[in-house]
């Protein structure tokens, strides 16, 4: 068996700094609140909860003793209103919104001030997009994942940071075809981490017999990597934990490619590699 692991694995920069910050607060205070799931990964969330973290999913869940507690905002960011309410209720708010997401929000705001109508290629219910919508002028924003005819002439097209680059390109072509803009500005706002992982997944899926995509079952970036690999490699499997490998037919002659989502801890990858090592003997 040959095992080829993607070069870019483990937490992305944005997720990693948010987790480190939560652990730092836990070290000092022994407890912390997190606004929304920090990462779409059950194992990581359970570990943080055991250390003293509590997740609150919305403003209604703000605890009674919040004025003596610290809350951390996750990498996806939050709406302006949510941030204000958190600041008014908690002793301290540690904002770990990923700088790449922050840059996207800033850029949209700037361009809206210059009268651009903004088309955001993305999923309306993704937390990053919900956060962005709550920080910009909503009446000058359209969120869509399929091209649409719009009645405005001066337009900016951007993407949610975690969408697939190839799909964004197709979306842009579709938008140009069904609209007659007088001015259109296109900015690639997809995170480079996302692009690198997609490219690696694509090239591994071309040369491997089996692809294992490791990541949370609710992680949209992991699901996206699975879909990219599945197009070229029929034996592609999305697993969250090493135990799931027991259900998969693996041959000792297989060339196995492994990729991970940006919220998958390295330890999960190591467990999978250790399991596969058995097929080498
Ligand atoms: S995927 Fe990119 S934008 Fe999203 S949290 Fe990670 S580093 Fe930030």
């Amino acid at each position: 068996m040959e095992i080829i692991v993607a070069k870019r694995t483990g937490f992305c920069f944005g997720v990693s700094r948010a987790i480190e910050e939560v652990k730092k607060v836990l070290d000092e205070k022994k407890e912390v609140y997190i606004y929304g799931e920090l990462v779409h990964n059950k194992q990581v969330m359970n570990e943080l909860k055991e250390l003293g973290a509590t997740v609150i999913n919305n403003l209604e869940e703000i605890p009674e003793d919040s004025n003596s507690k610290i809350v951390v905002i996750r990498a996806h960011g939050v709406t302006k209103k949510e941030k204000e309410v958190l600041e008014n209720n908690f002793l301290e708010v540690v904002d770990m919104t990923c700088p790449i997401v922050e840059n996207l929000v800033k850029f949209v705001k700037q361009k809206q001030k210059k009268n651009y109508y903004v088309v955001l290629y993305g999923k309306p219910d993704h937390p990053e997009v919900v956060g962005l919508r709550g920080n910009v002028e909503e009446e000058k924003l359209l969120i869509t994942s399929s091209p649409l005819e719009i009645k405005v002439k001066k337009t900016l097209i951007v993407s949610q940071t975690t969408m697939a680059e190839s799909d964004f390109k197709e979306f842009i072509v579709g938008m140009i075809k069904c609209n007659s803009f007088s001015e259109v500005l296109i900015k690639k706002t997809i995170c480079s981490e996302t692009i690198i992982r997609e490219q690696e997944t694509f090239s591994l899926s071309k040369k491997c017999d089996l692809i294992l995509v490791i990541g949370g079952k609710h992680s949209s970036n992991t699901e996206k990597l699975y879909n990219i690999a599945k197009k070229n490699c029929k034996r592609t499997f999305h697993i969250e934990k090493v135990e799931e490998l027991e259900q998969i037919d693996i041959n000792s002659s297989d060339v196995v490619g492994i990729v991970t989502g940006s919220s998958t801890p390295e330890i999960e990858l190591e467990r999978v590699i250790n399991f596969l090592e058995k097929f080498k003997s």
Side-chain angles (χ1 to χ4, degrees), residues 6-267:
K7 289 188 192 73
R8 195 64 70 106
T9 56
F11 298 135
C12 66
F13 148 80
V15 167
S16 163
R17 74 195 264 281
I19 292 175
E20 274 165 33
E21 192 59 37
V22 165
K23 286 187 172 167
K24 199 173 118 201
V25 178
L26 283 169
D27 263 357
E28 289 167 14
K29 309 278 181 192
K30 308 289 172 230
E31 59 178 341
V32 69
Y33 285 91
I34 306 170
Y35 193 66
E37 284 233 318
L38 197 64
V39 279
H40 296 301
N41 186 286
K42 247 189 263 161
Q43 287 73 31
V44 178
M45 288 312 298
N46 286 344
E47 188 203 334
L48 293 176
K49 285 174 190 168
E50 273 164 30
L51 290 170
T54 305
V55 175
I56 51 172
N57 293 300
N58 50 56
L59 298 175
E60 281 76 55
E61 291 180 15
I62 292 178
E64 283 184 4
D65 59 355
S66 58
N67 59 3
S68 61
K69 308 290 179 210
I70 297 176
V71 66
V72 174
I73 293 173
R74 61 186 173 169
H76 295 117
V78 290
T79 65
K80 195 173 164 207
K81 183 190 159 221
E82 283 172 313
K83 188 157 182 194
E84 281 167 6
V85 175
L86 293 174
E87 281 172 344
N88 289 337
N89 281 275
F90 280 88
L91 175 68
E92 191 184 337
V93 176
V94 182
D95 188 351
M96 297 314 291
T97 305
C98 178
I100 296 163
V101 175
E102 267 178 346
N103 284 343
L104 169 61
V105 175
K106 257 189 236 160
F107 188 70
V108 168
K109 274 174 150 174
Q110 275 172 11
K111 292 299 171 193
Q112 285 185 329
K113 274 197 191 121
K114 292 187 176 161
N115 287 323
Y116 279 88
Y117 182 78
V118 178
V119 177
L120 178 108
Y121 173 63
K123 298 177 183 165
D125 53 353
H126 189 279
E128 173 192 315
V129 176
V130 174
L132 178 138
R133 197 172 54 215
N135 279 285
V136 302
E137 297 174 59
E138 272 203 68
E139 60 290 357
K140 289 190 202 164
L141 176 71
L142 171 73
I143 301 158
T144 176
S145 54
S146 42
L148 291 174
E149 190 183 347
I150 51 174
K151 298 278 176 240
V152 284
K153 300 287 177 199
K154 190 175 167 182
T155 305
L156 165 69
I157 303 178
V158 288
S159 171
Q160 181 185 320
T161 64
T162 48
M163 297 301 270
E165 190 187 23
S166 53
D167 294 346
F168 183 44
K169 285 181 184 163
E170 272 179 35
F171 174 79
I172 293 164
V173 172
M175 284 300 292
I176 305 275
K177 272 188 190 159
C178 65
N179 287 285
S180 50
F181 301 111
S182 62
E183 185 181 337
V184 60
L185 179 62
I186 297 163
K187 185 162 167 80
K188 189 163 87 178
T189 50
I190 298 174
C191 166
S192 61
E193 182 82 35
T194 304
I195 295 172
I196 292 168
R197 285 180 199 236
E198 281 169 30
Q199 287 168 345
E200 285 200 284
T201 303
F202 179 79
S203 74
L204 282 177
S205 68
K206 288 260 183 191
K207 60 184 178 200
C208 294
D209 305 308
L210 177 77
I211 295 282
L212 298 174
V213 185
I214 314 171
K217 291 280 156 73
H218 300 295
S219 157
S220 61
N221 79 79
T222 309
E223 191 193 328
K224 187 180 56 186
L225 298 180
Y226 168 81
N227 289 331
I228 290 172
K230 187 79 179 170
K231 281 185 193 158
N232 296 316
C233 178
K234 285 202 168 51
R235 291 171 66 213
T236 294
F237 298 91
H238 176 180
I239 59 164
E240 193 166 317
K241 289 193 288 182
V242 67
E243 289 77 13
E244 291 168 60
L245 290 179
E246 305 281 0
Q247 315 299 324
I248 298 173
D249 277 336
I250 302 174
N251 309 316
S252 54
S253 57
D254 281 335
V255 177
V256 182
I258 309 179
V259 296
T260 75
S262 54
S263 51
T264 306
E266 287 286 351
I267 184 76

